[in-house]
Amino acid sequence: MCGIVGYVGGERCVEVLMEGLKNLEYRGYDSAGLAVASPGGIETAREVGPLNNLAGTLKGRDRDFFSVRAGVGHTRWATHGRPSEANAHPHKGGGAGGPEVAVVHNGIIENHGELRRELRGRGIEFNSETDTEVIAHLLAERVASGESLKEALVGALKRLQGSFAVAAMSAAEPETIVAARNQSPLVVGLGEGENFLASAVQALLGYTRRFLFVENGEVVEITGSSVGLSTLEGEPVQRETFEVDWGAEAVELGGYEDFMLKEIHEQPAALGATLAGRLMDDGCADLSDLDLNLSDVRRVVVVACGTAYHAGLLGKQAIERLARVPVEVTVASEYRYADPVGDEDTLVVAISQSGETTDTLAAVGAARGFGGRVLAVTNTQGSLITREADAVLLTKAGPEVGVAATKTFVTQVAAMHLLALALAEARGARPVEELREVGRALRLAPEKVEEAIGLAEERAGEAAEVFEEARCSLFLGRGAAFPVALEGALKLKEISYLPSEGYPAGEMKHGPIALVDGRCPMVAVLGEGVLREKTLSNVEETVARGARVISVAREDDAVAAAIAEVVLPVPKAPEVLSPFVAAVPLQLLAYRVAKARGLNVDKPRNLAKSVTVE
Ligand code: AGP
């Protein structure tokens, strides 16, 4: 959470910082701020609320503010101290006895209380409740004593405990930015006569596609003409440039009202790109480039959070059905403290769209404890998890800006099916032709999801009307439809704030049926195969008790139509695709309910897309 950005070079500094922050707003939008440096001092602009508020404030600044050549910016997801202007970054230090410094920070300084007491003891006054402000004062003291900004940052870092990506500037070196990280991400963007810093590459796609990744224990100093990377001990570090293939248009609305809607519509393309080169015409899944020996895998553990966890549940079903390997799926925040059991034959699959979710990274660390091999399934090239894993299976959804995961969910599910097929073949778990048939069916995912979008677009508004007076809702499913129901409930609650739970339909009688009344709509995901019938009878039982039902069912399913007030139709598709097509109407339903309530679907309250704190 929190996004940082930095720029040194030309006079487009403020423009670059604002554009960078716009593309990082998914990391937090409690407040935003900029600091720009000139030999005279450091000027800041900070505002509570979304970036637009800051943009409004900047209109009142004089021309000098816009002619600076270096600055840092921040978009905040509050951890220490409520969202307020005083708590907004950048935080300043110094000024009285030495040059002013400014700091932006993503992460948590765990020993900030102790440092605050120590600094107060030396007469330093604090202006905010944040943990970050201690860094500004530690830096300012060192700069005042004659240290360069880089020396001061290295010295200050030695005092910090916790996770951070921090960027700093000083009035004494107005065209230099220094930065470092521990756990939280930090990238350097390379330009011509200008250089950039950001929490993620998405921030800078309009300016460069060439990046350097800063690792833990390194410090970087950037000016308009140089980028110097070194260890905290001062050893120079050579790092290869990383070129990303995402374009700037990926982070633009492109005519859509919201990113969520755009990203729902991008699902066919995202699936096509994820499967391309990995799923052959004959249905063979090829993961040979991962350089991971799958033939001796005896057990799989999936660690993930939120939507990625739901993709993991679908992956479990696919792997167990096709490869006959036992799979455990665990929420990463639990797994990291579970003292997990395993051995070298355990394949640990860490699913993370962002590749920087703290709990998922820590769960990978826990698996390392027993010698497990780690496969990362991630959407983010060069992300932290790609550097922690033994192998990386990239989903190719492109940047996802909306906080609610949509296209990344279906691509994660596709990636897990690729793994299931490759694992099954490597272990000889099923006749090859049977696996190929599943593979060929999976190749239809883009076109079936396209059809599903068309069908659901027509009916989602009508289904959303059922939620007008709702006080809660239940999403029911069995088999593959159960993780889809969980995902549908998560989508609805996170963007519409309506309490919604996913349940295995067969569990209704064991408690949740008590919730049933006309103001608690049931969303029944019927799915395919034998469990469709079972789900139908579970739903009948709720109808008998006054439930209003929306069913997600095949367009020609007359029985589903008879019990439901509204049917969200899905196209006829091979069974392996049923979770893919069923996920789509639930995304659109959540979208329509939230829009009807006048809510911001891309930036739901209290949330950030990348959860980089525990
Ligand atoms: C769902 O819509 C959320 N954005 C959230 O649950 C997300 O899937 C979770 O935080 C995990 O993020 P990751 O995939 O980046 O690790």
Side-chain angles (χ1 to χ4, degrees):
M1 352 273 275
C2 296
I4 65 176
V5 62
Y7 174 86
V8 199
E11 287 195 1
R12 59 175 179 165
C13 176
V14 173
E15 172 209 313
V16 173
L17 294 176
M18 290 299 283
E19 179 66 18
L21 290 182
K22 186 180 102 195
N23 296 330
L24 289 179
E25 246 195 321
Y26 69 87
R27 303 176 72 89
Y29 29 84
D30 288 333
S31 63
L34 299 182
V36 295
S38 67
I42 289 185
E43 218 182 316
T44 57
R46 305 184 297 177
E47 275 299 333
V48 181
L51 191 63
N52 279 345
N53 297 358
L54 178 65
T57 298
L58 291 186
K59 287 189 187 128
R61 293 298 170 114
D62 60 25
R63 284 180 54 192
D64 289 353
F65 189 88
F66 295 92
S67 58
V68 294
R69 310 177 82 88
V72 291
H74 188 269
T75 181
R76 180 167 188 245
W77 188 86
T79 56
H80 294 69
R82 68 197 164 84
S84 68
E85 193 187 328
N87 289 333
H89 300 215
H91 291 286
K92 290 212 286 186
E100 279 188 320
V101 301
V103 168
V104 287
H105 164 226
N106 165 31
I108 291 178
I109 305 303
E110 287 163 3
N111 59 337
H112 73 101
E114 173 196 326
L115 292 169
R116 188 177 269 256
R117 280 190 293 281
E118 179 189 313
L119 286 156
R120 275 204 175 119
R122 296 202 285 272
I124 307 274
E125 275 179 31
F126 278 77
N127 300 307
S128 77
E129 304 154 278
T130 65
D131 52 340
T132 306
E133 196 182 341
V134 298
I135 311 176
H137 296 305
L138 287 173
L139 268 179
E141 283 188 329
R142 289 176 170 272
V143 170
S145 75
E147 288 185 1
S148 70
L149 183 61
K150 183 178 163 188
E151 287 165 343
L153 182 65
V154 170
L157 291 180
K158 292 190 178 138
R159 304 293 321 279
L160 305 182
Q161 288 162 17
S163 62
F164 50 80
V166 60
M169 55 196 318
S170 155
E173 298 170 60
E175 295 198 18
T176 299
I177 296 176
V178 296
R181 65 166 277 243
N182 182 42
Q183 310 306 336
S184 305
L186 185 65
V187 299
V188 176
L190 303 172
E192 299 294 329
E194 57 183 358
N195 288 302
F196 315 81
L197 270 178
S199 297
V201 297
Q202 292 90 307
L204 304 173
L205 291 175
Y207 305 103
T208 184
R209 293 196 189 175
R210 292 188 305 128
F211 294 92
L212 290 180
F213 292 107
V214 181
E215 300 294 353
N216 289 339
E218 293 174 354
V219 60
V220 64
E221 181 177 52
I222 70 167
T223 67
S225 55
S226 66
V227 172
L229 197 57
S230 56
T231 63
L232 295 182
E233 290 69 43
E235 289 297 315
V237 172
Q238 297 303 324
R239 173 86 14 88
E240 251 180 64
T241 307
F242 185 89
E243 216 149 308
V244 298
D245 57 17
W246 289 348
E249 68 294 343
V251 288
E252 283 158 14
L253 278 169
Y256 283 93
E257 209 174 316
D258 325 83
F259 280 104
M260 182 179 176
L261 191 60
K262 177 185 181 223
E263 287 156 2
I264 288 171
H265 281 267
E266 284 173 346
Q267 291 181 111
L271 281 165
T274 300
L275 297 176
R278 299 213 177 274
L279 190 57
M280 306 306 142
D281 288 351
D282 66 353
C284 173
D286 181 2
L287 298 186
S288 52
D289 63 317
L290 300 190
D291 203 17
L292 201 60
N293 182 6
L294 295 175
S295 61
D296 58 3
V297 170
R298 304 268 170 274
R299 179 172 167 252
V300 175
V301 173
V302 180
V303 291
C305 304
T307 289
Y309 170 77
H310 299 153
L313 292 175
L314 287 163
K316 170 186 164 78
Q317 294 182 1
I319 293 170
E320 290 187 340
R321 189 175 64 248
L322 298 171
R324 310 303 297 158
V325 175
V327 184
E328 180 192 343
V329 189
T330 315
V331 168
S333 54
E334 291 296 314
Y335 192 80
R336 64 182 291 186
Y337 294 114
D339 192 10
V341 182
D343 56 27
E344 302 93 69
D345 295 338
T346 304
L347 177 67
V348 178
V349 183
I351 311 178
S352 175
Q353 182 286 128
S354 60
E356 58 177 80
T357 299
T358 296
D359 285 322
T360 309
L361 290 164
V364 166
R368 289 280 183 221
F370 62 72
R373 281 169 284 169
V374 177
L375 170 66
V377 175
T378 181
N379 193 44
T380 310
Q381 307 165 45
S383 57
L384 296 181
I385 211 160
T386 63
R387 287 172 270 160
E388 300 293 330
D390 298 305
V392 178
L393 177 48
L394 263 190
T395 54
K396 298 278 185 76
E400 189 174 66
V401 179
V403 163
T406 52
K407 60 178 179 172
T408 56
F409 173 66
V410 292
T411 53
Q412 285 165 350
V413 178
M416 292 306 285
H417 278 77
L418 288 173
L419 177 64
L421 286 168
L423 198 56
E425 191 153 341
R427 290 176 43 84
R430 296 259 181 212
V432 169
E433 189 39 41
E434 192 182 318
L435 297 174
R436 295 283 197 271
E437 202 181 315
V438 176
R440 288 193 293 273
L442 192 59
R443 283 175 62 84
L444 300 175
E447 78 184 63
K448 289 294 166 190
V449 165
E450 180 94 66
E451 278 180 53
I453 294 169
L455 287 170
E457 279 279 25
E458 286 173 21
R459 305 294 284 281
E462 194 187 328
E465 285 171 17
V466 177
F467 288 78
E468 262 168 24
E469 301 291 320
R471 54 177 177 82
C472 65
S473 73
L474 287 173
F475 286 64
L476 310 177
R478 298 182 78 150
F482 169 52
V484 175
L486 288 175
E487 176 58 10
L490 175 61
K491 287 292 86 91
L492 186 65
K493 80 179 100 173
E494 73 178 323
I495 62 169
S496 75
Y497 317 147
L498 181 72
S500 321
E501 290 307 324
Y503 254 94
E507 276 287 292
M508 282 299 284
K509 291 190 275 299
H510 302 285
I513 202 162
L515 291 172
V516 169
D517 67 16
R519 292 182 61 210
C520 183
M522 302 285 133
V523 182
V525 188
L526 294 184
E528 298 285 339
V530 286
L531 290 174
R532 175 186 162 278
E533 299 289 326
K534 303 275 181 199
T535 309
L536 272 170
S537 10
N538 300 138
V539 175
E540 293 271 18
E541 289 154 9
T542 69
V543 173
R545 286 157 180 84
R548 299 182 72 181
V549 172
I550 292 153
S551 63
V552 176
R554 268 205 326 260
E555 39 186 335
D556 58 356
D557 189 334
V559 186
I563 62 161
E565 194 166 328
V566 183
V567 177
L568 286 170
V570 293
K572 198 165 183 306
E575 198 167 339
V576 67
L577 296 182
S578 75
F580 293 85
V581 294
V584 170
L586 300 186
Q587 296 164 346
L588 282 163
L589 172 66
Y591 176 81
R592 291 287 163 215
V593 173
K595 292 296 276 188
R597 294 177 170 219
L599 298 170
N600 183 335
V601 295
D602 288 337
K603 294 178 196 152
R605 70 183 179 204
N606 304 337
L607 287 169
K609 190 154 185 76
S610 298
V611 183
T612 57
V613 293
E614 199 177 342

